[in-house]
Amino acid sequence: MATNTIGSSKAPELSMTAADAAMIDHLPVEAATALARSLQRQERQVIARKVLSAARIGHAVYDEMLLSGHQTNVHTTGAVDKAATGKVSTTLGVSVPQATAWMTLSFLLSTLPTVTAAFLDGDHSLERIRIIANEIAVLSDDDARAFAETRALQLAERNQADKTLRDQVVEMVIALDPDGAADRREEAAARDQNVRVRRDTNGHCSISVYGPGEMGAHLAARIAKMISERICPRDPRRQGQVQVAAFAEIQGLPGAHLSCECGRGDCSRAIPLPEEPSGLTDLDIDVDDDAPDLSGDVDADADVTADAETITGDDTDCAATDTEESQPDTDTDTDSQLSLSLITDPSGQREARLEYFGVVDDAHARSLITSGQLVTVSEFPTLDIPTINTATSLDRIPAAWRRLDDPFPAPPIDPTGHGGHLLPPSGALTYRIPAWLREKIIELDGTCRYPHCGRPASECQIDHLVKFVHQDPITGGWTVEFNLMPLCTPDHQRKHMGLLIPTMLSDRAVIWRDPATGETITTYPR
């Protein structure tokens, strides 16, 4: 009888679930879109309340232990923290790290009332709130923190990747508190720098390094350089496999060597394998059972190569090498000659950026310049506003801050794809993009310009917004600054499919219009 009662009590719930699925399956696209957006906001509101409620459970345990005398000196602080996070973990059935993350976020939000309100209203995802709270809660000045709250939430409304938002908020925090940024970097070095290795399943391991930004930037640049020189687009391996093979050679693993596996005898990037040292047969390697443990995942930002896919549209603006590709230099000593690029702003209005890493504080930039760590210094390019569209030029301010207080968008560039020029400037009627112009576009835009993509511009293809007409170049889109933008390979394909139609404005904002619905999404330079 009990079984029947339980079964009958669940039947209506199951029936309603099936009815919901059937209802959704027959919704018009417009109605399904509205429903999904409404449910997404409700989900974010529920998550916000869950996080704050979980933290309240932990804080109650913390306060109870303090009042009952469990904490008698500083040495027991860790035990009290563990008790609080443990209570959240067992009460809600989540891992201790998850409970810790919720309590940490709640603690940071206690000093950020505006961000907390946006969190509770469901304006932004949990990850975006976490990014904002982690970065701006460190500001000790109340006025600076309040200013940063408003600005960060405005930036979070943009259609960009989470890692792009993080980079912009970091830049703002450094600008507001440059000395504090340098101090926090030094404190993190003393407290957190570490290398962890963990043996994983299927004969693999995980490796994690928490170290200076220039270390990661240099490694990413070396991997990218090796892959670009030695691997052709026909190599059948996944990007991650190729990256691991490159890392193994850089690490000096015996027998490790990155080479193309396309199998074609005429591969222009094939290089001979190095000769195996005489007498080397089986390697007797001792595996240390006490190898240090690795906690945390490898950052997804470590992806350093563009997908080796082929654009199916007519306008295949790939920033590729010349047709006759030179044979790569097999001298491994050239890897040590690799020079990273540090882009600075002499006017002091923009924070310096380290290639393959991102924004760095002024003290960090000076240390890189004087340390002899193979850094090439250049300046941010200026934005050439065509006089045909506007009578004034923009101040050189961080692109992420531009127009936050201006409700009126900049005017669009002319729809012909001529970038505001009445006559074609030098090189405008040539399809191949010169290296200097490609580098300028990369530095101006920073990332792929498609909505919600954070792929670094240096790993993207440079696309003509208005298609270049090979048969009659003067009638099509020209190879000029305001008709070019970086797009990663998948988004380049989406653009050619016509899923969204782009229009560039005179400050390099791009408005993407959905031809099916008429809705628009705006993306901005980094």
Side-chain angles (χ1 to χ4, degrees):
M1 179 65 69
T3 302
N4 292 337
T5 302
I6 294 175
S8 62
S9 65
K10 287 188 176 182
E13 179 182 349
L14 295 175
S15 176
M16 183 61 70
T17 301
D20 287 344
M23 180 271 293
I24 292 173
D25 192 47
H26 290 85
L27 282 177
V29 173
E30 296 80 3
T33 300
L35 177 61
R37 288 173 176 170
S38 174
L39 292 174
Q40 182 185 53
R41 188 177 191 89
Q42 293 177 40
E43 177 189 34
R44 291 172 176 173
Q45 292 171 342
V46 170
I47 289 175
R49 285 151 177 78
K50 178 184 67 175
V51 168
L52 298 182
S53 298
R56 178 68 187 96
I57 295 170
H59 291 152
V61 173
Y62 193 96
D63 293 342
E64 180 182 355
M65 295 193 71
L66 290 180
L67 291 175
S68 61
H70 283 79
Q71 184 176 1
T72 56
N73 57 60
V74 70
H75 300 293
T76 63
T77 302
V80 176
D81 291 338
K82 290 178 181 178
T85 55
K87 179 64 174 179
V88 175
S89 172
T90 56
T91 301
L92 299 181
V94 298
S95 67
V96 170
Q98 180 65 79
T100 302
W102 288 344
M103 291 194 63
T104 300
L105 178 58
S106 175
F107 173 76
L108 297 175
L109 290 174
S110 65
T111 62
L112 305 172
T114 305
V115 176
T116 302
F119 189 31
L120 290 168
D121 286 343
D123 292 342
H124 305 290
S125 68
L126 173 62
E127 181 58 24
R128 293 209 165 195
I129 294 295
R130 194 197 324 267
I131 289 170
I132 293 172
N134 283 341
E135 300 301 339
I136 68 176
V138 299
L139 294 170
S140 56
D141 183 81
D142 292 342
D143 291 337
R145 193 167 59 248
F147 171 84
E149 281 191 88
T150 302
R151 281 291 190 261
L153 290 172
Q154 288 176 311
L155 292 171
E157 293 175 358
R158 292 183 168 179
N159 300 285
Q160 57 193 5
D162 289 345
K163 62 182 179 181
T164 304
L165 172 64
R166 180 187 292 110
D167 197 60
Q168 293 170 345
V169 176
V170 167
E171 181 177 29
M172 178 171 58
V173 170
I174 291 175
L176 291 171
D177 185 20
D179 293 336
D183 292 341
R184 289 188 292 273
R185 177 169 45 82
E186 295 296 332
E187 291 168 2
R191 181 183 64 244
D192 300 325
Q193 283 189 2
N194 203 354
V195 176
R196 294 186 175 96
V197 179
R198 182 181 66 191
R199 294 192 298 177
D200 214 318
T201 59
N202 302 316
H204 281 67
C205 68
S206 299
I207 303 172
S208 175
V209 180
Y210 186 86
E214 58 270 25
M215 178 186 295
H218 189 261
L219 175 61
R222 289 187 68 185
I223 291 176
K225 181 173 182 287
M226 289 179 66
I227 292 174
S228 67
E229 290 179 345
R230 304 189 193 179
I231 305 299
C232 85
R234 299 184 185 90
D235 190 289
R237 291 171 292 179
R238 288 188 308 102
Q239 175 181 294
Q241 290 178 285
V242 177
Q243 289 174 329
V244 169
F247 178 67
E249 180 176 337
I250 290 172
Q251 191 184 22
L253 184 68
H257 181 76
L258 179 67
S259 60
C260 190
E261 295 184 1
C262 68
R264 296 171 63 100
D266 60 347
C267 177
S268 62
R269 299 182 188 177
I271 58 177
L273 291 172
E275 293 185 4
E276 191 172 281
S278 59
L280 181 61
T281 53
D282 296 331
L283 297 177
D284 183 14
I285 302 176
D286 292 329
V287 179
D288 184 6
D289 289 334
D290 295 325
D293 184 45
L294 170 64
S295 61
D297 299 327
V298 176
D299 192 347
D301 292 358
D303 289 345
V304 294
T305 60
D307 298 323
E309 300 180 37
T310 303
I311 296 294
T312 57
D314 295 330
D315 188 19
T316 55
D317 301 325
C318 179
T321 56
D322 293 333
T323 303
E324 295 182 2
E325 297 175 349
S326 59
Q327 291 290 337
D329 187 352
T330 59
D331 184 359
T332 56
D333 288 340
T334 59
D335 280 337
S336 63
Q337 304 288 324
L338 186 65
S339 178
L340 295 175
S341 178
L342 181 72
I343 306 97
T344 63
D345 181 1
S347 72
Q349 296 185 52
R350 300 190 64 172
E351 304 304 321
R353 303 190 68 87
L354 178 63
E355 183 183 23
Y356 287 101
F357 177 73
V359 63
V360 296
D361 62 82
D362 185 59
H364 196 176
R366 289 198 305 270
S367 69
L368 291 173
I369 294 173
T370 60
S371 65
Q373 292 180 312
L374 303 176
V375 173
T376 300
V377 182
S378 60
E379 296 181 11
F380 282 105
T382 56
L383 184 62
D384 298 330
I385 303 297
T387 55
I388 190 173
N389 286 310
T390 179
T392 60
S393 62
L394 294 173
D395 293 330
R396 292 181 64 194
I397 60 175
W401 295 38
R402 190 177 299 143
R403 286 175 38 193
L404 286 178
D405 296 319
D406 185 1
F408 302 103
I413 298 298
D414 65 280
T416 63
H418 296 171
H421 298 280
L422 296 176
L423 297 174
S426 176
L429 303 183
T430 303
Y431 176 69
R432 184 171 294 280
I433 302 166
W436 69 268
L437 182 54
R438 169 179 164 79
E439 291 304 315
K440 183 173 185 179
I441 298 301
I442 288 173
E443 293 306 329
L444 286 172
D445 288 349
T447 63
C448 171
R449 294 305 306 278
Y450 207 80
H452 300 288
C453 184
R455 190 82 172 187
S458 59
E459 301 166 19
C460 293
Q461 300 166 344
I462 305 300
D463 172 62
H464 288 80
L465 276 82
V466 177
K467 185 171 63 175
F468 187 92
V469 178
H470 294 271
Q471 296 79 7
D472 190 7
I474 200 166
T475 64
W478 293 349
T479 304
V480 292
E481 180 178 317
F482 280 92
N483 192 42
L484 299 172
M485 65 178 172
L487 291 175
C488 68
T489 301
D491 288 335
H492 197 167
Q493 291 175 326
R494 294 184 183 101
K495 184 252 188 182
H496 279 289
M497 293 174 188
L499 301 179
L500 294 174
I501 310 299
T503 298
M504 183 175 285
L505 307 184
S506 62
D507 63 352
R508 294 196 67 80
V510 176
I511 297 178
W512 297 85
R513 180 178 60 85
D514 186 333
T517 66
E519 292 184 324
T520 60
I521 298 174
T522 304
T523 65
Y524 300 87
R526 175 177 50 199

